[in-house]
Amino acid sequence: MNNLRNSTPDCVYQPQFIDGHALSIPTFTLLQADGCLFPRARAPNLNREQALKIYHSMVFIRILDERMLAAQRQGRISFYLQCLGEEATTVASAAALDDKDMIMAQYREQGALHYRGFSLTQFMDQLLSNEHDLGKGRQMPVHYGSKALHYMTISSPLGTQIPQASGYAYGQKLRGEPNITLCYFGEGAASVGDFHAGLNMAAVLKAPVIFFCRNNGYAISTPAHEQYISDGIASRGVGYGIPAIRVDGADALAVYEATRLARELALSGQQPVLIEAMAYRLGAHSSSDDPSGYRSRDEETRWRSQDPIARYRRWLLQQDWLDEAADQLASDVLRQEVLEALKIAEKIAKPHIDTLITDVYAQPTDLLHSQLAQLKAHIRRFPEAYPLSAARCK
Amino acid sequence: MAEMNLLQAINQALDLAMARDKDVVCFGEDVGHFGGVFRATSQLQEKYGSARCFNTPLTEQGIIGFANGMAARGLKPVAEIQFADYIYPAFDQIVNETAKFRYRSGNEFNVGGLVIRTPYGGGIAGGHYHSQSPEAYFAHTAGIRVVIPRNPVQAKGLLLAAIACPDPVLFMEPKRLYRAAVGEVDIAYYETPLDKAEVVQSGCDVTVLAWGAQMEVAAKAVVLAELEGVSCELIDLRTILPWDQDCIVDSVLKTGRLVISHEAPLTGGFAGEIAATIQQRCFLYLESPIARVCGLDTPYPLALEKEYQADQLKVFSAIMDTVNF
């Protein structure tokens, strides 16, 4: 590391300002829209099985998103966040990790979670807040988490996971583990204080963490050019002394390769690395948002031609790794399975009333026990007003 | 046993905890080689290495975010915020993250090993950015424990218990007493329970309740009241969240009167919570209204600190008014 205080400075004798716009970080890309590699590009070392697993997670998430957004419109779930257009960023990056690397995500990375093995049933249980939800029905839909899959439970406040990822990775380093932490966030979250605190902490304390920015163009309705100036988020990494790479977020092969190399660098160097994936949030921010109020159809259409799944699919077809007819059939079957799983999850009871006071502390306090007893007595008095719990307050 | 001041007791607790468990890691601003601005972490880097006791960049939200992540990995970070007055940049990480980690994940993840140490309180001519007592803000947050020791014996036992506790703990240290409070402390490892008040002195006319540095003020007021023939029961609440309701209730059922004193401003202060609870649980036994002797509802002043403080004469007056109601 360059220690400015202990080295002889390079001096100039006319004032010179460095313009941040002069820094122009290139975008790493391998795959063209037609599924052919760029002339000088080389495909990463993926075998057929891995390549198809990535594809199936991308397709799974697209179908899940489409069905669950419809379910939200029907009032069957309260809220939803889709990742339309960003499937390659999250799935291909997760595919480049070891299964025991910790993932600390924002809220639009369900593709990474599916790739890790989160089942359709587990997705449904969380979305429906039923008693099988690992999170015990305490958070809004899409706030997934799984200890078994090394996927930290999502928190709603933006960017809070960034300094936490630095600390988690530092813990892995102290334990001497051959693992790293990957932290996802959007370009909007790169404006919060936690981003700057987290990057600086990781850089100074040398934590093996990959900061993975999904630069998808919008933070709800605020376009990226109103979010930051200068050269995107990758340049922030450079400012903190963190190696950074910008990658085409709609290109699964490039995302995979960039993440694989970033992981090697983070692990071997015990240091942070930053990846900025340039993608586009083709859908709305959430089920409560309507993007037609702030962006044009033309813009969306232009990005739709970069569809990460279609592009990757064409590559798979060219490898002869995918059978078109079988693929179509599998998608139809999956659509049906999602609906069936939704119906089943809807019928499962909500979490037991006793879970209202558990997990606040390792053990509920006396005061919490007495508050629960009072609540149950109240519900026994007005059982018809509390249909979810009345039967369990005997 | 050895005589030591409150800072030395804290330093010894950290030393013992780091020696027993390699997962205990101390960090914060100037915490490393320098040993912290108050020297609470003196010699720890020399003994345990710079991976386990280190300086961080100057970012309170970064320190607590980092600590949350480390604790989620299963380590036991003891993070120092240099002054409680500077804890607010970390408020989101403490209130939204630390406190809710276990709950929101259905116990998939927790930050049980986390201890946040921070010096608080006035009486050091520090003005409003080096004198605040923010315990009430955190007492409103389910999921964390808030602990305030008053002397070296407590500081060591409570801090060791906090580090061993499966819940995250905010450990607020009365900086006015860092060197002023001296006592005989057991040099062996021991823990003091994190949910029990301590009856410091028995009495029958009035219960006087305080915590941390304010206990010294309350004790002086009790001496003044006793010169007037009033028998005071003096209680140190010791842990603000969760707090020991039963201990205070038992005392007030006996004395029928309660005076609560804290350094922080009156409105929204933790005395209000205690008064409401005691009023509910002891209503028919109360001989007089519960009195609160607190700081003014202003920022903490510099030049007029003496006037602002809930000093022993104000507490003494409240005791006499309560007894003579």
Side-chain angles (χ1 to χ4, degrees):
Chain A
M1 191 56 63
N2 181 17
N3 188 336
L4 293 175
R5 302 276 169 208
N6 293 340
S7 59
T8 311
D10 290 335
C11 292
V12 292
Y13 304 98
Q14 299 298 323
Q16 259 185 33
F17 294 94
I18 308 297
D19 185 349
H21 292 90
L23 186 70
S24 182
I25 298 170
T27 303
F28 171 57
T29 184
L30 296 173
L31 204 52
Q32 304 183 70
D34 64 2
C36 296
L37 293 172
F38 281 100
R40 278 175 296 159
R42 248 183 55 194
N45 189 18
L46 275 172
N47 63 35
R48 179 175 189 269
E49 188 193 0
Q50 285 173 299
L52 286 178
K53 189 178 173 195
I54 292 171
Y55 176 70
H56 287 139
S57 275
M58 293 203 290
V59 171
F60 173 90
I61 287 303
R62 181 156 295 184
I63 289 173
L64 181 76
D65 280 359
E66 162 197 312
R67 290 286 138 181
M68 297 319 292
L69 202 59
Q72 193 277 334
R73 298 290 181 233
Q74 295 163 357
R76 295 167 78 180
I77 58 172
S78 59
F79 176 80
Y80 196 74
L81 286 154
Q82 58 176 337
C83 62
L84 186 68
E86 296 182 73
E87 295 91 343
T89 60
T90 63
V91 177
S93 52
L97 301 180
D98 182 90
D99 279 349
K100 290 202 171 92
D101 290 340
M102 176 51 78
I103 291 178
M104 297 176 73
Q106 189 93 68
Y107 48 59
R108 207 185 291 288
E109 295 92 353
Q110 47 264 54
L113 184 59
H114 181 264
Y115 186 88
R116 281 275 168 102
F118 208 62
S119 71
L120 174 56
T121 307
Q122 287 179 304
F123 276 104
M124 285 303 157
D125 290 339
Q126 199 284 333
L127 293 169
L128 272 293
S129 314
N130 67 32
E131 66 180 354
H132 296 157
D133 169 25
L134 292 175
K136 299 181 187 162
R138 289 167 181 159
Q139 291 209 83
M140 287 167 75
V142 191
H143 290 63
Y144 309 110
S146 164
K147 185 176 189 174
L149 298 176
H150 300 90
Y151 193 95
M152 186 72 76
T153 304
I154 309 297
S155 161
S156 297
L158 277 196
T160 52
Q161 79 281 17
I162 300 172
Q164 291 169 13
S166 305
Y168 198 98
Y170 189 85
Q172 292 172 313
K173 173 174 157 173
L174 279 193
R175 287 272 173 92
E177 291 172 9
N179 285 102
I180 59 120
T181 297
L182 183 138
C183 178
Y184 292 111
F185 51 91
E187 86 282 359
S191 295
V192 303
D194 277 324
F195 168 81
H196 299 280
L199 261 65
N200 195 37
M201 294 279 284
V204 170
L205 298 165
K206 300 187 173 33
V209 53
I210 298 175
F211 298 110
F212 193 108
C213 177
R214 298 177 291 94
N215 190 336
N216 67 12
Y218 288 88
I220 306 188
S221 73
T222 302
H225 71 268
E226 291 178 25
Q227 191 69 240
Y228 59 79
I229 56 168
S230 187
D231 192 38
I233 306 304
S235 62
R236 272 78 175 142
V238 174
Y240 284 110
I242 296 174
I245 185 169
R246 176 170 292 145
V247 60
D248 180 346
D251 174 356
L253 293 181
V255 170
Y256 174 88
E257 187 63 2
T259 312
R260 187 184 69 78
L261 292 168
R263 184 179 188 278
E264 274 183 16
L265 194 55
L267 195 58
S268 65
Q270 292 291 296
Q271 64 176 69
V273 183
L274 186 144
I275 298 174
E276 180 183 25
M278 306 306 290
Y280 188 78
R281 193 197 74 209
L282 266 175
H285 163 72
S286 77
S287 53
S288 310
D289 170 44
D290 174 14
S292 70
Y294 55 82
R295 67 189 189 194
S296 71
R297 279 235 170 265
D298 278 0
E299 180 183 305
E300 291 181 21
T301 307
R302 207 164 59 245
W303 278 96
R304 222 172 282 277
S305 68
Q306 299 292 315
D307 184 335
I309 297 185
R311 202 199 294 193
Y312 186 59
R313 189 170 185 275
R314 289 178 197 118
W315 180 74
L316 289 174
L317 288 169
Q318 286 177 20
Q319 308 303 301
D320 250 345
W321 283 353
L322 194 66
D323 178 293
E324 258 195 300
D327 181 44
Q328 188 56 51
L329 183 64
S331 292
D332 293 342
V333 169
L334 181 57
R335 278 191 185 84
Q336 205 49 47
E337 284 173 355
V338 171
L339 288 179
E340 289 302 319
L342 173 61
K343 280 184 201 158
I344 292 168
E346 278 175 326
K347 294 198 181 88
I348 296 170
K350 295 299 173 195
H352 194 282
I353 187 165
D354 289 359
T355 62
L356 264 179
I357 64 161
T358 57
D359 306 325
V360 180
Y361 295 98
Q363 297 297 326
T365 60
D366 293 347
L367 185 59
L368 283 174
H369 279 301
S370 82
Q371 288 177 1
L372 181 65
Q374 275 182 38
L375 172 62
K376 284 181 173 176
H378 171 79
I379 291 174
R380 283 195 293 275
R381 199 169 156 197
F382 301 100
E384 66 289 347
Y386 306 93
L388 289 180
S389 300
R392 288 164 151 182
C393 288
K394 302 290 183 231
Chain B
M1 303 290 276
E3 189 176 272
M4 59 182 81
N5 65 31
L6 202 148
L7 263 178
Q8 289 165 329
I10 285 167
N11 182 252
Q12 202 196 51
L14 294 172
D15 192 354
L16 279 174
M18 291 180 86
R20 280 164 67 97
D21 186 347
K22 64 177 177 14
D23 285 338
V24 177
V25 178
C26 295
F27 54 90
E29 294 151 11
D30 304 301
V31 161
H33 176 67
F34 189 56
V37 291
F38 292 104
R39 304 292 187 277
T41 54
S42 276
Q43 299 301 313
L44 298 179
Q45 187 176 73
E46 284 75 0
K47 274 187 157 171
Y48 303 103
S50 56
R52 287 183 61 200
C53 179
F54 53 86
N55 292 338
T56 64
L58 207 158
T59 165
E60 286 79 11
Q61 72 183 123
I63 291 167
I64 302 304
F66 192 85
N68 277 331
M70 204 190 285
R73 175 61 202 87
L75 283 94
K76 294 180 178 169
V78 182
E80 179 179 296
I81 298 297
Q82 204 158 72
F83 286 90
D85 311 73
Y86 301 129
I87 207 165
Y88 301 106
F91 200 70
D92 179 48
Q93 282 287 346
I94 298 171
V95 167
N96 271 328
E97 301 292 315
T98 306
K100 294 171 176 69
F101 231 94
R102 190 194 298 273
Y103 181 79
R104 72 168 176 227
S105 69
N107 204 24
E108 287 287 287
F109 299 96
N110 73 81
V111 293
L114 173 60
V115 177
I116 301 165
R117 289 182 42 246
T118 191
Y120 84 96
I124 57 147
H128 48 262
Y129 292 130
H130 295 85
S131 303
Q132 294 174 70
S133 300
E135 69 270 18
Y137 288 112
F138 297 101
H140 196 51
T141 302
I144 53 173
R145 291 173 181 268
V146 180
V147 176
I148 307 184
R150 78 169 190 282
N151 63 25
V153 176
Q154 277 190 1
K156 181 176 167 186
L158 289 169
L159 182 53
L160 286 170
I163 292 169
C165 179
D167 301 315
V169 179
L170 175 61
F171 193 83
M172 298 175 62
E173 300 166 3
K175 61 179 171 290
R176 183 167 65 77
L177 302 185
Y178 264 157
R179 292 192 171 81
V182 178
E184 287 289 318
V185 179
D186 188 346
I187 56 167
Y189 182 96
Y190 66 93
E191 293 181 15
T192 306
L194 293 181
D195 54 359
K196 292 279 178 264
E198 182 185 350
V199 180
V200 174
Q201 175 189 312
S202 289
C204 56
D205 294 333
V206 57
T207 303
V208 179
L209 176 65
W211 50 85
Q214 196 63 10
M215 279 301 292
E216 191 191 35
V217 172
K220 286 179 183 166
V222 162
V223 170
L224 294 175
E226 279 167 351
L227 292 174
E228 301 291 322
V230 178
S231 165
C232 301
E233 181 141 303
L234 179 62
I235 300 180
D236 177 2
L237 190 61
R238 220 155 54 170
T239 60
I240 309 302
L241 186 73
W243 65 286
D244 189 353
Q245 291 192 3
D246 290 344
C247 174
I248 317 306
V249 167
D250 288 347
S251 177
V252 174
L253 290 180
K254 184 174 69 173
T255 64
R257 298 178 181 87
L258 177 61
V259 174
I260 313 163
S261 183
H262 58 59
E263 291 188 49
L266 178 83
T267 300
F270 198 64
E273 177 61 33
I274 297 168
T277 302
I278 298 305
Q279 175 281 131
Q280 189 189 18
R281 290 185 61 183
C282 305
F283 182 66
L284 295 175
Y285 294 80
L286 286 172
E287 303 284 348
S288 61
I290 297 167
R292 293 180 288 164
V293 189
C294 308
L296 304 184
D297 286 347
T298 67
Y300 200 104
L302 183 65
L304 297 177
E305 184 170 26
K306 174 85 180 107
E307 286 75 5
Y308 170 90
Q309 284 177 335
D311 68 358
Q312 63 262 37
L313 286 176
K314 291 179 188 171
V315 179
F316 165 67
S317 293
I319 292 171
M320 297 313 293
D321 290 350
T322 299
V323 171
N324 297 321
F325 180 75

